[in-house]
Amino acid sequence: MLKKGELRYRDIEFDFILENSELNLQVKNNYENEFKNIFYKNLGNGSYTTRDVYFEEGYLIGKNKENFGTMIMIINKKQFLHNFINNNLSIEVDSVFELYRNTNISRISLYAKEMDYIYNIEKAIKERKFNYNNGEINILINSIKETESKDIKFQLDGKEIRCSFSISRIMHGGINSYPIQIKSDFSAYFEPTSDYIFILKIYRIIEQFIQFLCFRRNINIEEVHVHNKNEKEFYEKIGTIELFENKVDEEEQKIIERRYIPFNLIQDNVENIFQELANDSLYMRHLPDSYIKGKSENEASFVILVAAFEWEFKQLFKDGLPHSEKTKEAQKKVKENIENIINKKDIKGKEKKIYKSLLNFIELEALSEKIVYTCEYLNDIINQFGKELFELNGEILNYKEMGKRLNEQRNHFAHGDLDKEFIGKSLLDLIFLKEVVYAMQLKRLGISDDNIKKCINRLFYGRI
């Protein structure tokens, strides 16, 4: 993408060229002195050096020279790079809003191939008729209203966001395209705003939602449009958003078609998913970049998956592991004894710091114990998958042994043995742990046990 235009920044006028994510600014004639005052430091004797100037505003607004549309360029890195000779600045751009007219935005809509399967486009077909005598075909399409999902609501930064899936239909003319195209898209509605950073937050949440349902990051969102209501109270398309960091290698079509969670399995609890994403409390860092990358394991994927387990354990079991009254009483006494030592006047400095650090170990729970407790808690959901996986590899599933191996493997990596191979069957344990973590997440989101099993079956095994 190459776009040219003009913009004003700090009362200086620039010509700009935006090529992919790099924005280059060339100061216009008659503004050289103002430019030097801000961006250069005078060393005396006619000598100058560049001054570090940081961009604080969040975005730049310019005019596209081709269509005279407004371009809002969201800045990524906050420091300008200088070209001392040509009075040129460059800065990294995260995304661009290109608006056909200047107005607030109250809706964002987007499309990715995965949506056609998550929210099945078959919903759009009301009736099919084929006349075998003359070859006549009649297809009746449901109204847009009939294909819309129920409203999905969540809170973001104290504001209500209303979302829905729907199936759009596009009529084509000419001989180079199908006469009609149907596709699933997703829209989010909110109070009219020109807060572009807020709108991007909504986009990110929708993107994460699709990633979560596909268990991979490489979701190729092809279209992002922004809208506002016109004088007739209809939503009118007023522009587009292009995100540069969203350029990913497209997933294989067979993976897109088979490995995803259908909307009908999570629709009763979909608001919980969106709210968790908006609150940044649904762990997502362990998702692989692509399906094929998710099939290979190394020390990095091990560490991040165990971190995902630890995070979700705290979310699912707020009080931690259950302990006997005898253990609780012993922990309480030890804690009181250490606190008494800390409060002594002669305990100071590093000594006091060491005693305080000991408090963290009193209620410390071993990874192995957490794994065993979680697997037993989710046994009715996960056992059939773990059993199948281990038997396929000539092994027997045992939660205690699995917990022990994973605990040893973590200690192995913690001691810096990153170049060593996985210990025993811990690689097999790691593959199963992915499914356990996903089950933990779906369980706390309120999905029924039966639907969690269907989700795991579809996502990790590609079975319908």
Side-chain angles (χ1 to χ4, degrees):
M1 180 192 80
L2 180 67
K3 293 184 184 289
K4 298 180 179 181
E6 301 172 328
L7 63 79
R8 175 181 282 266
Y9 177 64
R10 295 198 180 184
D11 294 324
I12 302 173
E13 291 190 6
F14 295 89
D15 289 314
F16 73 78
I17 296 175
L18 178 64
E19 187 169 8
N20 296 321
S21 62
E22 186 176 344
L23 176 66
N24 287 289
L25 304 176
Q26 178 66 54
V27 65
K28 285 190 173 187
N29 293 335
N30 304 322
Y31 286 91
E32 288 91 344
N33 290 333
E34 292 89 337
F35 183 85
K36 280 186 177 181
N37 289 337
I38 294 174
F39 294 97
Y40 291 159
K41 184 178 179 181
N42 192 338
L43 300 176
N45 300 320
S47 299
Y48 291 87
T49 186
T50 55
R51 189 197 304 269
D52 288 338
V53 177
Y54 293 89
F55 186 78
E56 303 293 344
E57 289 80 351
Y59 55 85
L60 289 166
I61 300 178
K63 282 285 181 187
N64 188 320
K65 280 185 177 179
E66 286 187 16
N67 57 22
F68 304 104
T70 301
M71 294 179 64
I72 297 98
M73 292 160 277
I74 312 299
I75 302 306
N76 189 351
K77 294 178 180 176
K78 298 301 183 184
Q79 187 172 2
F80 287 107
L81 298 177
H82 300 72
N83 184 320
F84 191 82
I85 298 172
N86 298 321
N87 286 342
N88 178 277
L89 299 174
S90 65
I91 194 164
E92 196 77 14
V93 172
D94 174 82
S95 51
V96 176
F97 287 70
E98 189 154 8
L99 305 181
Y100 315 138
R101 59 188 179 88
N102 291 328
T103 181
N104 284 338
I105 298 168
S106 57
R107 174 188 169 195
I108 178 175
S109 63
L110 50 87
Y111 169 74
K113 281 184 183 178
E114 287 81 359
M115 292 182 183
D116 289 339
Y117 301 94
I118 291 170
Y119 195 75
N120 197 330
I121 55 174
E122 286 289 320
K123 295 174 187 287
I125 309 299
K126 190 170 189 176
E127 188 179 3
R128 292 184 179 90
K129 284 185 180 179
F130 180 72
N131 190 319
Y132 289 93
N133 295 320
N134 60 19
E136 184 178 271
I137 298 174
N138 289 300
I139 298 176
L140 188 61
I141 306 291
N142 282 313
S143 69
I144 293 175
K145 189 88 174 163
E146 290 174 294
T147 66
E148 285 181 342
S149 69
K150 290 181 180 178
D151 280 352
I152 302 163
K153 296 177 182 178
F154 66 95
Q155 294 285 322
L156 177 63
D157 296 344
K159 299 171 185 175
E160 183 177 85
I161 312 299
R162 180 174 61 84
C163 309
S164 64
F165 273 105
S166 64
I167 299 177
S168 60
R169 62 289 324 269
I170 303 167
M171 301 290 290
H172 295 287
I175 60 174
N176 294 322
S177 59
Y178 295 112
I180 185 169
Q181 178 187 7
I182 56 175
K183 60 181 184 178
S184 295
D185 53 26
F186 191 90
S187 292
Y189 304 84
F190 39 88
E191 287 296 314
T193 183
S194 59
D195 185 342
Y196 306 109
I197 307 300
F198 177 74
I199 294 168
L200 279 180
K201 282 184 182 179
I202 298 171
Y203 166 85
R204 307 274 183 215
I205 290 168
I206 299 169
E207 180 184 45
Q208 286 183 322
F209 172 71
I210 304 167
Q211 290 173 336
F212 179 69
L213 295 186
C214 296
F215 200 75
R216 54 184 171 81
R217 295 186 186 279
N218 62 333
I219 304 302
N220 197 348
I221 295 178
E222 298 176 16
E223 302 170 15
V224 188
H225 298 287
V226 291
H227 314 252
N228 200 18
K229 284 185 176 180
N230 59 23
E231 60 276 1
K232 294 181 180 179
E233 290 296 297
F234 290 114
Y235 281 100
E236 182 179 52
K237 191 186 299 180
I238 60 167
T240 60
I241 306 176
E242 181 164 7
L243 294 101
F244 298 110
E245 66 176 34
N246 194 42
K247 306 300 182 187
V248 296
D249 293 331
E250 191 170 328
E251 189 56 80
E252 289 185 62
Q253 185 62 30
K254 64 181 181 181
I255 300 301
I256 294 174
E257 290 176 6
R258 294 191 66 84
R259 294 185 181 265
Y260 63 92
I261 302 303
F263 183 73
N264 65 292
L265 293 181
I266 50 98
Q267 62 184 342
D268 292 339
N269 308 90
V270 68
E271 288 186 348
N272 295 343
I273 300 175
F274 273 96
Q275 194 58 63
E276 288 293 302
L277 290 171
N279 295 342
D280 198 24
S281 53
L282 188 65
Y283 200 93
M284 297 281 287
R285 296 180 192 90
H286 65 302
L287 265 60
D289 289 336
S290 64
Y291 171 76
I292 196 67
K293 286 184 178 177
K295 303 298 285 182
S296 60
E297 307 297 345
N298 53 37
E299 65 277 1
S301 62
F302 177 90
V303 170
I304 204 163
L305 184 60
V306 169
F309 173 82
E310 295 277 18
W311 171 271
E312 290 299 335
F313 184 88
K314 290 177 184 175
Q315 304 299 311
L316 186 60
F317 308 110
K318 299 290 185 185
D319 298 325
L321 290 171
H323 293 292
S324 66
E325 289 302 317
K326 192 174 181 180
T327 301
K328 289 178 183 178
E329 188 62 34
Q331 288 175 338
K332 185 181 176 183
K333 283 184 179 178
V334 172
K335 191 174 182 180
E336 287 173 354
N337 288 336
I338 293 176
E339 285 174 345
N340 288 335
I341 294 171
I342 291 171
N343 293 328
K344 288 181 178 180
K345 290 182 180 180
D346 57 333
I347 303 296
K348 298 175 182 178
K350 287 187 177 180
E351 192 177 354
K352 193 168 192 173
K353 211 171 187 178
I354 292 169
Y355 278 118
K356 281 186 176 180
S357 67
L358 290 175
L359 289 172
N360 298 324
F361 291 94
I362 295 171
E363 296 175 0
L364 193 64
E365 295 160 337
L367 174 65
S368 56
E369 293 176 334
K370 293 178 189 175
I371 288 172
V372 172
Y373 182 73
T374 302
C375 289
E376 289 176 350
Y377 176 78
L378 298 172
N379 183 65
D380 290 345
I381 299 170
I382 63 172
N383 185 266
Q384 67 185 78
F385 302 109
K387 191 175 179 183
E388 179 182 339
L389 175 66
F390 276 75
E391 286 180 354
L392 187 65
N393 289 273
E395 302 292 344
I396 297 172
L397 175 65
N398 182 301
Y399 296 146
K400 287 185 179 180
E401 291 300 317
M402 172 183 164
K404 183 181 176 183
R405 285 192 297 266
L406 286 172
N407 199 57
E408 288 176 356
Q409 186 68 56
R410 183 168 72 170
N411 292 339
H412 191 57
F413 287 146
H415 286 92
D417 300 325
L418 300 179
D419 57 338
K420 302 285 181 66
E421 293 184 358
F422 283 90
I423 301 169
K425 296 184 278 289
S426 58
L427 182 58
L428 204 58
D429 300 326
L430 189 64
I431 295 169
F432 182 46
L433 189 63
K434 287 183 186 178
E435 299 169 24
V436 174
V437 170
Y438 203 74
M440 293 167 76
Q441 292 177 314
L442 294 177
K443 182 73 174 177
R444 75 177 178 87
L445 290 167
I447 313 296
S448 70
D449 289 4
D450 188 49
N451 279 353
I452 294 174
K453 284 191 270 190
K454 290 176 182 176
C455 287
I456 293 173
N457 201 35
R458 189 67 173 263
L459 192 60
F460 293 99
Y461 295 88
R463 297 184 292 223
I464 300 172

